[in-house]
Amino acid sequence: MNPVAPNFRNASRDAVKNAQLVAAVRKSSDLLSDLMARAVANTPDFEALRDYGRARKLEISGDLEKYVQSFTAHARAAGAVVHRAKDAAEAARLAIKIAADNGTKTAVKGKSMTAEEVELNEALEAAGITVTETDMGEFIIQLAHEKPSHIMAPAIHRSRAQVAELFTDKLGTPPDLGVEALVAAARKDLREKFLAADMGITGGNFAIADTGSIVLVSNEGNIRMTTTLPRIQLAVVGIDKIIPEMADMPKFLALLARSACGQTISSYMSIVTGPRRAGEEEGPEQLHIILLDNGRSRIAKGPYREILHCLHCGACLSHCPVYRAVGGHAYQATYPGPMGSVISPLISGLGIYADLPNACTLCGRCAEVCPVRVPLPDYLRDLRSDVKKPPFMMKLTAFGANTPSLYRLGMIAMRRMLKKGGKGLMAPALKEWTVCREPPKPQEGESFRDWWRTRSYCK
Amino acid sequence: MILNQYLAKARGVGVDIELLSLSDLNLRLAALVDELKAKSVALPLIGWPEPLLLTVKTEVEKCGSVTVSPRRRMDGGYEWNRSALGSATLGITFCGAFVAETGSLAFPSGPGFGTLASLLPETHLALSYAKDCRPDLGGYLAEFGADIPSRLTFVTGPSRTGDIEASMTTCVHGPGRVLHWIISA
Ligand code: SF4
């Protein structure tokens, strides 16, 4: 019985009852999984590419500091100001200082899970800087004062009708607009903000050590605006995003784009190397890069190192039966789903997210789809025992299952109890399983063990 | 061969591609400006083969459109008039490299040929020569060696989002329509 600690359990119980939420998450997850399956089927060497991805990432995570140093040196040579933040609080402080030093009042921002991790918006807003989210999904949830519920599709939990209602309420659009009209309304609202903003904030999909470049992909074009129009640019990048060479990038991009939404490449890819150069009419005057550690160096030295290989494609979320049933908010962490259930407790030091590794059926689908083969189910299982020694009932069960005579007795008792509809002496042991569902009926007729004994090869 | 691969890839993501000869360019431009009723056209003046730029600029202006281009500053640098740029309905840029593997147009930045003309207007027309098709992304990136421009932008189809119920919608922040005219030698 290893019960899931209260917060995930309560939140997920509410979530599964929310029919609209479940339908929205399932619909989008199905679509994303289908797109990925089709793209992978059209890529004959995809398995070889995954092997490459994992092998290369093992080299990187085995020598992380070397690549951090190399990236830092090359980015500085290109004219960027590189800062290193050991934790979220330091990253937020640095961002506020950069904004204050340059007298910035308004910022436009592209989607960045790393920025979510350091709660950058909250920090900047508290310092008097208005931050506008410009990714369509992020724009929606910012209007609704929500957190992202998926690392790639942040507003996956909202239906078109709900978005329409929200826009009517906040932007004054006519009621019940279709998707196209909603997008047009956001375009109009955001265009002015892009042109007026002092600061552009992004994450980074890849950071290239040998050139000091940040690579950013997007389908909407908001990242291009954010990295071209404002006079100050800030990129907040986890040190796990560093890859050794520009020559590695097309391969990692191929893995990411296919797994994230079934593309060969996103509509836009910006490779940003330093600020605007002499004579150029566009681009920021200053490019600041905050390299965020926040536990990553520590994780790289421990048994869960491969979680740093994650490309943040979101495939393990869309394919996870638990995520699909409850959506992202139930996890109450920056990173939800299988990758989130591993990285969240690791970053926070097995603290408040200690229950997340239990939010998993160990079905293994995540490991099957992960483009860089992060062994998520193994990690989730190992994390459970790191968090908590197995409870007494589990130890008892293990002892029973390993002792044939006890096992037989147990099975007889179990059959008897299930025949009575789950009541009787052993019923409390089943409580956790029977809270939300009926206990199964034992099968009619002979038991498996009796049947087995009649087989000729047993005699 | 690689041109065909490019055509399949780029058309697959919704790029409107035409193969044309230089002599057809004037007629096609006039038709496009007329169709879009484009009052102003964003047009970088640097980074083009001179004769091609001249043909485009003359034709667009002949159709009664104003061209908006980065202005040369006293110090030798360039500068956009942002509000003029913002009101352009069409952006025309030269694309010196496009990639077959991914169906992408590549735009390196540099003085006078930044990338906003391909981003802010609702329609973007890229002009290329057929010979400028590259087989793959890795090979194209390797051409730069250590000398990467400050912004290297790849455009693969129109601006789109799937953020509302995962249904694909175009023209979010960038152009909803991307045209690529490939001029045969
Ligand atoms: S763990 Fe793997 S599947 Fe999950 S988001 Fe990361 S890269 Fe994608």
Side-chain angles (χ1 to χ4, degrees), chain A residues 209-274:
Chain A
D210 75 340
T211 60
S213 314
I214 302 279
V215 180
L216 292 145
V217 295
S218 94
N219 284 323
E220 302 183 358
N222 63 318
I223 296 282
R224 285 184 66 192
M225 301 268 195
T226 307
T227 57
T228 321
L229 291 167
R231 75 193 152 81
I232 309 289
Q233 190 194 333
L234 168 63
V236 186
V237 184
I239 55 172
D240 52 314
K241 295 295 179 68
I242 298 177
I243 56 176
E245 296 166 21
M246 187 61 93
D248 293 304
M249 193 275 287
K251 295 181 200 153
F252 281 112
L253 174 74
L255 288 167
L256 173 63
R258 280 168 181 81
S259 308
C261 42
Q263 294 174 303
T264 314
I265 185 172
S266 317
S267 297
Y268 301 114
M269 173 165 74
S270 305
I271 304 180
V272 173
T273 313

Side-chain angles (χ1 to χ4, degrees), chain A residues 36 151-152 256 259-260 306-307 309-317 319 338-340 366-367 369-374 376:
Chain A
M36 176 183 178
I151 56 175
M152 285 298 291
L256 173 63
S259 308
E306 286 187 53
I307 193 60
H309 301 178
C310 173
L311 304 177
H312 290 208
C313 73
C316 58
L317 278 63
H319 286 82
M339 59 77 77
C366 50
V369 295
C370 175
V372 285
R373 303 192 197 279
V374 177
L376 294 161

Side-chain angles (χ1 to χ4, degrees), chain A residues 27 134-135 137 160 179 187 191 219-220 224 227 229 233 264 267 269 271 273-274 277 279-282 284, chain B residues 9 78 80 82 112 114-116 118 120 148 150-152 154 156 159-161 163 165 169 172-174:
Chain A
K27 183 177 171 193
T134 60
D135 169 85
R160 195 266 321 151
V179 176
R187 175 185 172 103
R191 182 57 72 92
N219 284 323
E220 302 183 358
R224 285 184 66 192
T227 57
L229 291 167
Q233 190 194 333
T264 314
S267 297
M269 173 165 74
I271 304 180
T273 313
R277 293 186 193 159
E280 288 186 332
E281 69 276 25
E282 312 166 352
Chain B
K9 265 286 172 196
Y78 288 84
W80 280 111
R82 283 210 182 164
T115 54
L116 284 174
S118 67
L120 296 185
I148 315 262
S150 69
R151 295 288 176 286
L152 180 52
F154 294 85
T156 313
S159 152
R160 69 202 123 158
T161 185
D163 273 350
E165 295 191 353
T169 315
V172 194
H173 299 299

Side-chain angles (χ1 to χ4, degrees), chain B residues 113-175:
Chain B
F113 55 105
T115 54
L116 284 174
S118 67
L119 181 63
L120 296 185
E122 285 192 12
T123 304
H124 169 213
L125 165 64
L127 296 175
S128 296
Y129 292 119
K131 66 171 176 47
D132 290 332
C133 187
R134 308 293 207 282
D136 56 49
L137 196 57
Y140 175 64
L141 289 170
E143 286 176 24
F144 290 94
D147 204 10
I148 315 262
S150 69
R151 295 288 176 286
L152 180 52
T153 306
F154 294 85
V155 174
T156 313
S159 152
R160 69 202 123 158
T161 185
D163 273 350
I164 305 177
E165 295 191 353
S167 84
M168 272 297 165
T169 315
T170 53
C171 203
V172 194
H173 299 299

